[in-house]
Structure formats: structure tokens, C-alpha cells
DNA sequence: TTGTATGCGTTATCAA
DNA sequence: TTGATAACGCATACAA
């Protein structure tokens, strides 16, 4: 059996209270006794029982991280960022992967982190009002990435801004027929990011006087394969896009794959821009909107530390900047295109697109 | 304040012992009282305190996962596999990321999972004898991926076999000048996998009568960038390889990038084969040795469940098969090569390589 | 089937 | 500065 605080107290010839104080480095312990206690603990290779400690103190030394995927690049990067700063502060990470819908439901039905964590970090998970309330009712600090929960700490990027930059980049290159591969729009959980990005995409096009064409929006669900399918769909249009904005690099990769299989090249045939600056983006020479992924995790963890230390009274909201990284998959629109002989003109092209805009 | 078991007991007009039994679905509770208890708990929105429960029972409902990286594809896949089966059994995952060396040391100095987990899963982490003993001394079941710890459960692939298959694939294509980009050989922690693979590589070459040339082995450290550097090094040899085996797909990606920048193509100029079947491997049409990554995580978790249920007396050792996936980056060796005019011949080529074999 | 009583290993309050 | 002791919230052996 492992040694308990009582054993240490006996050996050091002090009370358990003193042992507890000495071991935790609290003041009001004489150096002499502290050393005696430390030695005794060492000799017995004593370690506190975290459960007993938690039970008595109410603190758990643990932060719950709730996320929709553990195995996707983005989330694993964020977790790494979180881990690096929490670990430095001796906080453990309890992982709640709510990818599966039933797991998600079960989670909110039973609230496993209840009394089990000192704080929560929620990554990009769309929550219903009641679900958010359940989390808030745990009465621990909560830091949220991407989405919003009233009263909680927040970190996010400016998705509208990032998207606008991406689409404007294409417009500035002379493209006017610009497709978008969007992600997880159909997910029943209702991720908000794709909605925001879709809106920004449409807004920028409108601002540039480019008519809206729903055919140019293809759903991709954030995976390589879905991105590939979406691209295939776009390229099979009567009047296919000359440039495509994919809402994630992964989908852009899929798009490039489809192009490759069709014998097309970026940017000669179609320009492609992604989002994230995934580790493979440089490899594939993909132009993209970079966001600091691990750094967002670090920020979330730092917010938790602030909340736990009580140094900040108000939950902060941090928006981290995105950055256009121009690589080889985007290029100037060709003046004359095979299937679309008319040269690009400013302003709408009503005759050509009346079918789609009439929808 | 949250309701306690006493509140529930009062409301249901039974003892706390009965509440405990009823809530955990133990037998020896009449249906009537069980329902009364359940209703009372529901009305008070009662949830057991995991710490109190752990303290009293000795069980924690938590499994510790110890790994060297959380943000690499391989490990995030394994964790996803582990999560899927543990979550289905209501076990939580406590993450111990020992990537940083100081974190590693600190971990073994303080043993944070002590009394905090019901079991441990160790992913590919090389441990010293004393470190292994520290883990074993926790007296919980341990399942290990990749490396070995006496008395523990094991899951691994046959690295020698996988490597042999890869190298033989290249030999069968007619290659005789075959380079290897190895991973993490220099890491002070001493990962064993690269050593095994390096040995297998040399063995297969020897069996094929191909002389050993240390210049053809370049260290890569498992990252894209390092793989790229290693490839650059190999291609700058006076007599560069016609085929390269990279110990991980990531490094193979880097190798392909280097080739691309040098204007070389696979397999026309150099054949490249990787290891893992990374999600991006298909995208880049990379020939590789596939291993079931998430599945290994599931197996580890299943072993833990077996150990915890006590159904198996002996720790099992599972070796999962690898599989050659032939894609577009490997091809037949060209009969005549620019820098190496002599056609490939079976058997050693003492004159040509005496310099290197003499080392 | 149910209840009683004790133990689990700390922390924190209060008094000395 | 130190000690005694009451929580903390539950599980479980034992008794009924």
C-alpha cells in the first residue's frame, strides 16, 4: 500500500496538517520542520492522492478539452498548443471527443466533467442554447474557440476577413468566375464557421459587382475526398470557375487531386486558394489563408490560467489575425479562355448568367 | 451547492447505501426503491462526485495516455482509435504529452498518473529501465504501442517485415542503388523503430547482394523539412540513388518536394516509397507501406478493457500486419542512367563502390 | 432487500 | 508556528 499523509506525519513527528502545509509550500512553516517533512516524504516515496486532495480542496488540477475531432490536423495542433501551456502549470488535460453524435448527446446528458475539472476549453463545437447553459452551470471558467458562449472567454480568427482576403486575392488576379468549396454546411450540429465564410464570399463578390451564382458553391465537408468531389462538380459546370476558394486546405488538396486527374493544372487552368496553412500546403505549393493554429490553443490555455488565478475580472475576447500566403496555385486569370471566349469585363454579365441568378 | 448522495437519500427516504446501489445498477435493489431513487436523483439533478467515488472505491474511470507528440498525424489517429473504444466504455482519457524533454523528466520524477488512472497506454515512447519500472510500479494494467515493457500488453507492427517489403519492392523494380531516409535515429530518447528499420534495410540489401554504402543512409527525423534535406543530401552524392525508402510518409513528402525543386520527377528520375499510408499519401500518389493506425489504438484500448475486466490472465501481444500500397512514385529502374552508364548487374560492384564499403 | 457505520486521504478551520 | 478535527462525498463490509 502506498504511504499516506499520516505515515509521513508520524515519521516527521508532526501533524498531518503540517505535512500538508509543508508539502504544498505554504507559509507559516518553519524551515526546520519543512525539511523534516520533505525528507520523510522522500523516504516513504510519498505522493498525495489527487482524489483525496480534490475532494478536500475542491480543486482538480485538470482542464477538460471538448472537441469534435481529435484526429484532424487543426485540432491536434490546437491541443498541442493548449497542452504546452497547461503542462507548464501542472494542469492535466482530460479529453472529451464529441465527434460521434451519440457521444455528444450522452455527454450533455451526463456531463462527465462535472466536478471533475477546474475549467473547460471548447473547440469549435456548435452548441445549442441548453447545451451551452449546461456547461456554464458547471460554474468553472470556460474558454471557447471559434463559436460564442455568453459570459465565456473567447479566441477566434476573423473568418469574414480571412475569406474576404482570399476571394479578393482571386478577384485582383482578374478572376470573375470564382467558385467556393464550403465545409460542413450540412452538418446537423450547425457549425457556424462555414456560414460566416459563405456569407463573406458572397458579400465580396457582390461588392465587386460579380453576379451571384449558386452553382459555383459546392459543399465539401472539410475532407480531402469531399473537396475532390466538390471540385469535380464545379468543373463539370457548363461554365466552370476559373478560380476556386476552398474553405480548408484539406478540401483544396482534394480539389487539386481532381484537377490532376482531369489533366488540369493550377493556376494555369484553375486557380485554387485554401484556408488554414496546413502543414502540407507548402508542400503542394498551395496559396492559402494562414491562421496561427497552435497559438490559438496557447491563448485559450492562457485565458484559463488568467481566469483560474482570478487576475482578470472580465472574460477577454481575442481575435487573432489571418494572413494571405501566396504560393503557386493562384495566378492571373487568362484573358481568353477556351470555353468562355469573351474577355473578362467589369460589371455583371446578365445574359450569360440569367439562368442561375433567376433561381 | 450541488446535491449530494445524502440529499438524494433523504428525498427518496432510503439510506445512502441504497442510493449508491440503485444508481450504479447493482442487484439486490427492489424495482420500486430503485425507481424512487432514480426519480429523486433526477429531481435534484444529482451527479456523483467522481473524486469521492474514486477515493472510496479506488477506481478512477480514467486511462492515462502517454505519448511523445499530440500534433502529429500518426499519434492523433491512434488517440482517436483509443478514444472511440474507451469512450464507449465510459472511460476518460487523461493526456500526458511528453514531447518536451523537461516535461518527460518531470513526469517521471513526479509520476502524475499515480493513483489517478485505472490503466496506462504508452505510445511509442522509448523508456529507460527505471522509467519502465516506475510505470509498472503504479500497479495498473499497461498497454504499449511499438516498444516493449516486460509484463505489459503490446501492440505493434512488424517493422522489419514492413521495411523489407518496401526495399524488396524497389529491388524487384530493378533498383540497386537504394537510399534510405531514416527517422529520429539521433534522438537522445532512443526510439527503437528507426533502428529496427535501418537494420532491416541493410539486411535486405545484403541478401540481394547489394554492397553496403553508408552514404546512402540519410537521417531525416520524421518531418517534412528534414526529409527534404535528407533527399537533397542523397541527390548530391557523386552516384545518387535511383530509389529511396523513406521511413515515414512525411519524410517522403519532403523528398518529393526536393525532387520537384530540382526538376526531378518520381518515378522517372528517382523512385520513392514511404511508410504509414498517411492521409496525404494518396493525394501525392505515393507508394508506401500501409499500417492500420487508428486500429492499433483500438486494439490498445481493447487490451486495457480486457485487463480491467480481468477476463484475460496473460497480457497479450498483438502484431498487426502492414501492406504494400503501390502507387505512382515507384517504377522500374531505367536500364541506362546518365551518370551511371553501366547497366545494373547482379552481385556487388567492388570497383565502383570500394570507397564507401571500405569505410 | 435495506440500513449502519466505517474508511478512503486530504484540506481547511479553528484553537492553542 | 503547530495541532486537533471536522468536512469532502461516496463505497462497502457487516448487520439486520
Amino acid at each position: 500500500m502506498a504511504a499516506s499523509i499520516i505515515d509521513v506525519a508520524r515519521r516527521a513527528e508532526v501533524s498531518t496538517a503540517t505535512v500538508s502545509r509543508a508539502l504544498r509550500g505554504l507559509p507559516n512553516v518553519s524551515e526546520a520542520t519543512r525539511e523534516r517533512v520533505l525528507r520523510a516524504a522522500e523516504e516513504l516515496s510519498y505522493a498525495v492522492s489527487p482524489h483525496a486532495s480534490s475532494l478536500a480542496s475542491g480543486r482538480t488540477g485538470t482542464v477538460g478539452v471538448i472537441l469534435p475531432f481529435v484526429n484532424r490536423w487543426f485540432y491536434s495542433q490546437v491541443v498541442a498548443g493548449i497542452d504546452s501551456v497547461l503542462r507548464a502549470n501542472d494542469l492535466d488535460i482530460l479529453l472529451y471527443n464529441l465527434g460521434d453524435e451519440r457521444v455528444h448527446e450522452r455527454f450533455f446528458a451526463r456531463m462527465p466533467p462535472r466536478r471533475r475539472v477546474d475549467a473547460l476549453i471548447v473547440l469549435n463545437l456548435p452548441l445549442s442554447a441548453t447545451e451551452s447553459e449546461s456547461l456554464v452551470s458547471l460554474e468553472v471558467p470556460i474558454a471557447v474557440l471559434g463559436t460564442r458562449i455568453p459570459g465565456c472567454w473567447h479566441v477566434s480568427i476573423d473568418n469574414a476577413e480571412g475569406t474576404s482576403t482570399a476571394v479578393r486575392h482571386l478577384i485582383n488576379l482578374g478572376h470573375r468566375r470564382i467558385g467556393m468549396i464550403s465545409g460542413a454546411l450540412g452538418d446537423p450540429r450547425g457549425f457556424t464557421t462555414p456560414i460566416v465564410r459563405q456569407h463573406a464570399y458572397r458579400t465580396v463578390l457582390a461588392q465587386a459587382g460579380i453576379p451571384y451564382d449558386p452553382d459555383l458553391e459546392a459543399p465539401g465537408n472539410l475532407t480531402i475526398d469531399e473537396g475532390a468531389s466538390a471540385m469535380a462538380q464545379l468543373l463539370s459546370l457548363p461554365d466552370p470557375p476559373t478560380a476556386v476558394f476552398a474553405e480548408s486546405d484539406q478540401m483544396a488538396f482534394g480539389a487539386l487531386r481532381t484537377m490532376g486527374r482531369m489533366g488540369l493544372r493550377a493556376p494555369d487552368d484553375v486557380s485554387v486558394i485554401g484556408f488554414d496553412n496546413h502543414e502540407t500546403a507548402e508542400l503542394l505549393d498551395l496559396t492559402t489563408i494562414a491562421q496561427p493554429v497552435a497559438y490559438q490553443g496557447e491563448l485559450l490555455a492562457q485565458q484559463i490560467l488568467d481566469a483560474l488565478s482570478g487576475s482578470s475580472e472580465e472574460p477577454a475576447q481575442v481575435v487573432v489575425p489571418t494572413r494571405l500566403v501566396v504560393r503557386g496555385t493562384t495566378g492571373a486569370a487568362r484573358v481568353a479562355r477556351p470555353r468562355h471566349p469573351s474577355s473578362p469585363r467589369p460589371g455583371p454579365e446578365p445574359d450569360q448568367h440569367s439562368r442561375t441568378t433567376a433561381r
Side-chain angles (χ1 to χ4, degrees), chain A residues 30 33 62 119 122 144 180 182 185 189 204 208-209 288 302 308-309:
Chain A
S30 77
T33 51
T62 304
V122 182
V144 184
M180 170 165 183
S182 52
L185 270 176
R189 285 169 285 178
V204 171
T288 191
Q302 193 56 54
L308 252 27
S309 73

Side-chain angles (χ1 to χ4, degrees), chain A residues 65-82 122-126 145 191 193 222 293:
Chain A
V65 176
I66 307 174
L67 35 61
F69 308 99
V70 278
N71 53 353
R72 291 203 182 167
W73 175 81
F74 179 87
Y75 293 95
S76 66
Q77 295 296 319
V78 174
V79 171
I82 293 171
V122 182
L123 303 184
N124 252 341
L125 207 68
L145 178 69
F191 290 93
T193 303
L222 298 177
V293 185

Side-chain angles (χ1 to χ4, degrees), chain A residues 12 14 18 22 29-39:
Chain A
V14 292
T18 300
V29 178
S30 77
E31 262 323 300
T33 51
R34 188 189 301 278
E35 268 188 37
R36 265 216 322 287
V37 170
L38 255 44
R39 179 163 45 246

